[in-house]
Amino acid sequence: MTTPILSIEDLTDLVAAIFESRGMALADARTVAGVVVAAERDGARSHGLQRMPGYVSSMDCGWVDARAEPRVEQRTPSLLAADAGNGFAQIALARAWDQLAQLARQNGTAVLTIRNAHHFAALWPDVEPFAATGFIALAAVNSRSLMTAWDGTRKVLGTNPVAFACPRPGAPPLVWDQASSTMSQGDVLLHRAAGKPLPPGAGIDRAGQATTEPAAVLDGGALLPFAGAKGGSIAFMVEILTAAFGGGTFGFEDGGAALPGAATSLSNQFLLLLDPAAAGATAFGARVEALLAAIKAGGSRRMPGERRYAARARAATAGIPVEAAVLDELRAFCGTGAPRASR
Ligand code: NDP
């Protein structure tokens, strides 16, 4: 049987219709659908369509408020603090986007914190558009506890990703985006679905013993930080920037595990913009290119983000393959919306 192919527009319409069916406003539904489809389009499948059952069950059980209206408050000349109202973080970011960019242009730097939010997606869609307009952008998100801390044997910290985007003259931004764990939970889910073992060193089981079995990691076990203590340190920093500084919950305080259907993390986001022009860095673009040329001369064959950009170009012409069973499931979700009160 051939795999159905959908255009980016058609898939976005379908995914947005699922969010709308749960009571989300059309513009917000297209915002959240946009990040899901962008991940699928760019070959970042750990955070693409496989996440839709989790989005849906989190809304249907009342863990996420699909109708949430975020509030954005300016705390200082360069600090915005948003409360997502227990909705998806990307909606709060969309509300704050213009003001954040304006503050960064005025002040040379601006920070946005988002608390009381759910972030179930890849992080690069949050930073890449800022870099496409000339800003250096750094973002971090905390998730519910999935990972050990320094030498720990139980999950305490989130897999807390950090994403960085750097503008380039005449080229798409250079963007990297990585979890604090050796692999994201989304990749563990893909391994479980494919019946594949995890690479050694990815996780431990509920007894704290090393395992390559995805189910053992997901069922009471834990992921391990990348590069040992170093990944634990990055995840700690993310908890401080997002939850302590932003006024939200730490990963270990997320109560979703006790609520059947609550798949998304109650998380918090930190986003920093820097304007190279405001800092007087007139040769910034040329300096970035000089560094990248030196890196390539050093033997690096690909830059972070290039794999995604290549997949994006392919999808723009060839569309996005969606397995028939997944397509059936998405269509079924559209018809089963049952908006519920928030938790
Ligand atoms: P990967 O390990 O797949 O990739 C990390 C980064 O390294 C990417 O920017 C990737 O670029 C780059 N990279 C990989 N291989 C190379 C190479 N050979 N040369 C140059 N660059 C390379 O990502 P993770 O598994 O750590 O994370 C996957 C996703 O999970 C992220 O998008 C992250 O935001 C998301 N996540 C989300 C969470 C949430 O709560 N919302 C929690 C944890 C993770 P490229 O993209 O081009 O492959």
Side-chain angles (χ1 to χ4, degrees), residues 152-204:
T153 53
R154 283 195 304 274
K155 57 187 180 186
V156 178
L157 300 172
T159 50
N160 300 359
V162 179
F164 178 77
C166 174
R168 295 183 62 190
L174 188 140
V175 183
W176 59 253
D177 174 17
Q178 58 194 39
S180 298
S181 46
T182 55
M183 65 195 309
S184 69
Q185 190 202 31
D187 269 336
V188 178
L189 294 170
L190 286 175
H191 277 70
R192 183 176 67 178
K196 280 172 34 184
L198 302 175
I204 54 176

Coordinates of all heavy atoms in Angstrom, one line a residue, residues 152-204:
G152 N 22.5 10.8 39.6 CA 21.3 10.3 40.3 C 20.9 9.0 39.7 O 21.3 8.5 38.7
T153 N 19.9 8.4 40.4 CA 19.4 7.1 40.0 C 17.9 7.2 39.8 O 17.2 6.2 39.5 CB 19.6 6.0 41.1 OG1 19.2 6.5 42.3 CG2 21.1 5.7 41.2
R154 N 17.3 8.3 40.0 CA 15.8 8.5 39.7 C 15.6 9.8 38.9 O 16.4 10.7 39.0 CB 15.1 8.6 41.0 CG 14.8 7.2 41.7 CD 13.8 7.3 42.7 NE 14.1 8.3 43.7 CZ 14.8 8.1 44.8 NH1 15.4 6.9 45.0 NH2 15.1 9.1 45.7
K155 N 14.5 9.9 38.2 CA 14.3 11.1 37.4 C 13.9 12.2 38.3 O 13.1 12.1 39.3 CB 13.2 10.8 36.4 CG 11.9 10.3 36.9 CD 10.9 10.0 35.8 CE 9.6 9.5 36.3 NZ 8.7 9.0 35.3
V156 N 14.5 13.4 38.1 CA 14.3 14.6 38.9 C 14.1 15.8 37.9 O 13.2 16.6 38.1 CB 15.5 14.9 39.8 CG1 15.2 16.2 40.6 CG2 15.7 13.7 40.7
L157 N 15.0 15.9 36.9 CA 15.0 17.0 36.0 C 14.3 16.7 34.7 O 14.1 15.5 34.4 CB 16.4 17.4 35.7 CG 17.3 17.8 36.9 CD1 18.8 18.0 36.4 CD2 16.8 19.1 37.5
G158 N 13.8 17.7 34.0 CA 13.3 17.5 32.7 C 14.4 17.2 31.7 O 15.6 17.3 32.0
T159 N 14.0 16.9 30.5 CA 15.0 16.7 29.4 C 15.3 18.0 28.8 O 15.9 18.1 27.7 CB 14.4 15.7 28.3 OG1 13.1 16.2 28.0 CG2 14.4 14.3 28.8
N160 N 14.9 19.1 29.4 CA 15.1 20.5 29.2 C 15.9 20.9 28.0 O 17.1 21.1 28.1 CB 15.7 21.0 30.5 CG 14.8 20.8 31.7 OD1 13.7 20.3 31.6 ND2 15.3 21.2 32.9
P161 N 15.3 21.1 26.9 CA 16.1 21.5 25.7 C 16.5 23.0 25.7 O 15.9 23.8 26.3 CB 15.1 21.3 24.5 CG 13.7 21.5 25.2 CD 13.9 21.0 26.6
V162 N 17.6 23.2 25.0 CA 18.1 24.6 24.7 C 18.2 24.7 23.2 O 18.7 23.8 22.6 CB 19.4 24.9 25.4 CG1 19.9 26.3 25.1 CG2 19.3 24.6 26.9
A163 N 17.7 25.9 22.7 CA 17.9 26.1 21.2 C 18.6 27.5 21.0 O 18.3 28.4 21.8 CB 16.5 26.1 20.5
F164 N 19.4 27.5 20.0 CA 20.2 28.8 19.7 C 20.1 29.0 18.2 O 20.3 28.1 17.4 CB 21.6 28.6 20.1 CG 22.5 29.7 19.8 CD1 22.5 30.9 20.6 CD2 23.4 29.7 18.7 CE1 23.3 32.0 20.4 CE2 24.2 30.8 18.5 CZ 24.2 31.9 19.3
A165 N 19.8 30.3 17.9 CA 19.7 30.6 16.5 C 20.5 31.9 16.2 O 20.5 32.9 16.9 CB 18.2 30.9 16.1
C166 N 21.3 31.8 15.1 CA 22.3 32.8 14.8 C 22.0 33.3 13.3 O 21.9 32.5 12.4 CB 23.7 32.3 14.8 SG 24.9 33.4 14.3
P167 N 21.7 34.6 13.2 CA 21.4 35.1 11.8 C 22.7 35.0 10.9 O 23.8 35.1 11.4 CB 21.0 36.5 12.0 CG 21.5 36.9 13.3 CD 21.7 35.7 14.2
R168 N 22.4 34.8 9.6 CA 23.5 34.7 8.7 C 23.1 35.6 7.5 O 22.0 35.6 7.0 CB 23.8 33.3 8.1 CG 24.2 32.3 9.2 CD 24.5 31.0 8.6 NE 25.5 31.1 7.5 CZ 25.9 30.1 6.7 NH1 25.2 29.0 6.8 NH2 26.8 30.2 5.8
P169 N 24.1 36.4 7.0 CA 23.8 37.2 5.8 C 23.5 36.4 4.6 O 24.3 35.5 4.2 CB 25.0 38.1 5.6 CG 26.1 37.4 6.4 CD 25.5 36.6 7.4
G170 N 22.4 36.5 3.9 CA 22.1 35.8 2.7 C 21.9 34.3 2.8 O 22.0 33.6 1.8
A171 N 21.7 33.8 4.0 CA 21.5 32.4 4.2 C 20.5 32.2 5.4 O 20.4 33.1 6.2 CB 22.9 31.7 4.5
P172 N 19.9 31.0 5.4 CA 19.0 30.8 6.6 C 19.8 30.8 7.9 O 21.0 30.5 7.8 CB 18.5 29.4 6.3 CG 18.8 29.1 4.9 CD 19.9 29.9 4.5
P173 N 19.2 31.1 9.0 CA 19.9 31.1 10.3 C 20.6 29.8 10.6 O 20.1 28.7 10.2 CB 18.8 31.4 11.3 CG 17.7 32.0 10.5 CD 17.8 31.4 9.1
L174 N 21.7 29.8 11.3 CA 22.2 28.6 11.8 C 21.5 28.3 13.2 O 21.6 29.2 14.0 CB 23.8 28.7 12.0 CG 24.4 27.3 12.4 CD1 25.7 27.1 11.7 CD2 24.5 27.1 13.9
V175 N 20.9 27.2 13.3 CA 20.1 26.8 14.5 C 20.5 25.5 15.0 O 20.6 24.5 14.3 CB 18.6 26.8 14.1 CG1 17.7 26.5 15.3 CG2 18.1 28.1 13.4
W176 N 20.8 25.5 16.3 CA 20.9 24.1 16.9 C 19.8 24.1 18.1 O 19.4 25.1 18.6 CB 22.3 23.8 17.4 CG 22.9 24.7 18.4 CD1 24.0 25.5 18.1 CD2 22.7 24.8 19.8 NE1 24.4 26.2 19.3 CE2 23.6 25.7 20.3 CE3 21.8 24.2 20.7 CZ2 23.7 26.1 21.7 CZ3 21.9 24.6 22.1 CH2 22.8 25.5 22.5
D177 N 19.4 22.9 18.4 CA 18.3 22.6 19.3 C 18.5 21.3 19.9 O 18.5 20.3 19.2 CB 17.0 22.7 18.6 CG 15.8 22.4 19.5 OD1 15.9 22.4 20.7 OD2 14.7 22.1 18.9
Q178 N 18.8 21.2 21.2 CA 19.1 19.9 21.8 C 18.6 19.7 23.2 O 18.5 20.6 23.9 CB 20.6 19.7 21.8 CG 21.4 20.7 22.5 CD 22.9 20.7 22.2 OE1 23.3 20.5 21.1 NE2 23.7 21.0 23.3
A179 N 18.2 18.5 23.4 CA 17.7 18.1 24.8 C 18.9 18.0 25.7 O 20.1 17.9 25.3 CB 17.0 16.7 24.7
S180 N 18.7 18.1 27.0 CA 19.7 17.9 28.0 C 20.0 16.4 28.2 O 21.0 16.1 28.9 CB 19.3 18.5 29.3 OG 19.1 19.9 29.2
S181 N 19.1 15.6 27.7 CA 19.3 14.1 27.9 C 20.1 13.6 26.6 O 20.2 14.3 25.6 CB 18.0 13.5 28.0 OG 17.1 14.0 27.0
T182 N 20.6 12.4 26.7 CA 21.3 11.8 25.6 C 20.3 11.7 24.4 O 20.7 11.8 23.2 CB 21.8 10.4 25.9 OG1 20.7 9.6 26.3 CG2 22.9 10.5 26.9
M183 N 19.0 11.5 24.7 CA 18.0 11.5 23.6 C 16.7 12.0 24.2 O 16.5 12.0 25.4 CB 17.9 10.1 22.9 CG 17.3 9.1 23.8 SD 17.6 7.4 23.1 CE 16.9 7.6 21.4
S184 N 15.9 12.6 23.3 CA 14.6 13.1 23.8 C 13.6 12.0 24.1 O 13.8 10.9 23.6 CB 14.0 14.1 22.8 OG 13.6 13.3 21.6
Q185 N 12.6 12.3 24.9 CA 11.6 11.2 25.2 C 10.9 10.9 23.9 O 10.5 9.7 23.7 CB 10.6 11.7 26.2 CG 9.7 10.6 26.7 CD 8.4 11.2 27.3 OE1 7.9 12.2 26.9 NE2 7.8 10.5 28.2
G186 N 10.8 11.9 23.0 CA 10.1 11.6 21.7 C 10.9 10.5 20.9 O 10.3 9.7 20.3
D187 N 12.2 10.6 21.0 CA 13.0 9.6 20.3 C 12.8 8.2 21.0 O 12.8 7.1 20.3 CB 14.5 10.0 20.2 CG 14.8 10.7 19.0 OD1 14.0 10.6 18.0 OD2 15.8 11.5 19.0
V188 N 12.7 8.2 22.3 CA 12.5 6.9 23.0 C 11.1 6.3 22.5 O 11.0 5.1 22.3 CB 12.5 7.1 24.5 CG1 12.2 5.8 25.2 CG2 13.8 7.7 25.0
L189 N 10.1 7.2 22.4 CA 8.8 6.7 21.9 C 8.9 6.1 20.5 O 8.3 5.1 20.2 CB 7.8 7.9 21.9 CG 7.4 8.4 23.3 CD1 6.6 9.7 23.2 CD2 6.6 7.3 24.1
L190 N 9.7 6.8 19.6 CA 9.9 6.3 18.3 C 10.6 4.9 18.3 O 10.2 4.0 17.5 CB 10.7 7.3 17.4 CG 10.0 8.5 17.0 CD1 11.0 9.5 16.2 CD2 8.8 8.2 16.0
H191 N 11.6 4.8 19.2 CA 12.3 3.5 19.3 C 11.3 2.4 19.8 O 11.3 1.3 19.3 CB 13.5 3.6 20.3 CG 14.7 4.1 19.6 ND1 14.9 5.4 19.2 CD2 15.9 3.5 19.3 CE1 16.0 5.6 18.7 NE2 16.7 4.5 18.8
R192 N 10.4 2.8 20.8 CA 9.5 1.8 21.2 C 8.5 1.4 20.1 O 8.3 0.2 19.9 CB 8.7 2.3 22.4 CG 7.7 1.3 23.0 CD 7.0 1.8 24.3 NE 6.1 2.9 23.9 CZ 5.3 3.5 24.8 NH1 5.4 3.1 26.1 NH2 4.5 4.5 24.5
A193 N 8.0 2.3 19.4 CA 7.1 2.1 18.3 C 7.7 1.2 17.2 O 7.1 0.3 16.6 CB 6.6 3.4 17.7
A194 N 9.0 1.4 17.0 CA 9.7 0.6 16.0 C 10.3 -0.7 16.5 O 10.9 -1.5 15.7 CB 10.8 1.4 15.3
G195 N 10.1 -1.0 17.8 CA 10.7 -2.2 18.4 C 12.2 -2.2 18.4 O 12.8 -3.3 18.4
K196 N 12.8 -1.0 18.5 CA 14.3 -1.0 18.4 C 14.8 -0.7 19.8 O 14.2 0.1 20.6 CB 14.7 0.2 17.5 CG 14.7 -0.2 16.0 CD 14.9 1.0 15.1 CE 15.8 2.1 15.6 NZ 15.9 3.2 14.6
P197 N 15.9 -1.3 20.2 CA 16.6 -1.0 21.5 C 17.2 0.4 21.5 O 17.5 0.9 20.4 CB 17.7 -2.0 21.6 CG 18.0 -2.5 20.2 CD 16.7 -2.3 19.4
L198 N 17.3 1.0 22.6 CA 18.0 2.3 22.7 C 19.5 2.1 22.7 O 20.0 1.0 23.0 CB 17.6 3.0 24.1 CG 16.1 3.2 24.3 CD1 15.9 3.7 25.8 CD2 15.6 4.1 23.3
P199 N 20.2 3.2 22.3 CA 21.7 3.0 22.4 C 22.1 2.9 23.8 O 21.5 3.5 24.7 CB 22.2 4.4 21.8 CG 21.0 5.2 21.4 CD 19.8 4.5 21.8
P200 N 23.2 2.2 24.1 CA 23.7 2.0 25.5 C 24.0 3.4 26.0 O 24.4 4.3 25.3 CB 25.0 1.2 25.3 CG 24.8 0.5 24.0 CD 24.0 1.4 23.1
G201 N 23.6 3.6 27.3 CA 23.9 4.9 28.0 C 22.8 5.9 27.9 O 22.8 7.0 28.4
A202 N 21.6 5.5 27.2 CA 20.5 6.4 27.1 C 19.7 6.5 28.3 O 19.1 7.6 28.7 CB 19.7 6.1 25.9
G203 N 19.5 5.3 29.0 CA 18.6 5.4 30.2 C 18.8 4.3 31.2 O 19.6 3.4 31.0
I204 N 18.0 4.4 32.3 CA 18.0 3.4 33.3 C 16.6 3.0 33.6 O 15.6 3.7 33.3 CB 18.7 3.9 34.6 CG1 18.0 5.2 35.1 CG2 20.2 4.1 34.4 CD1 18.5 5.8 36.4

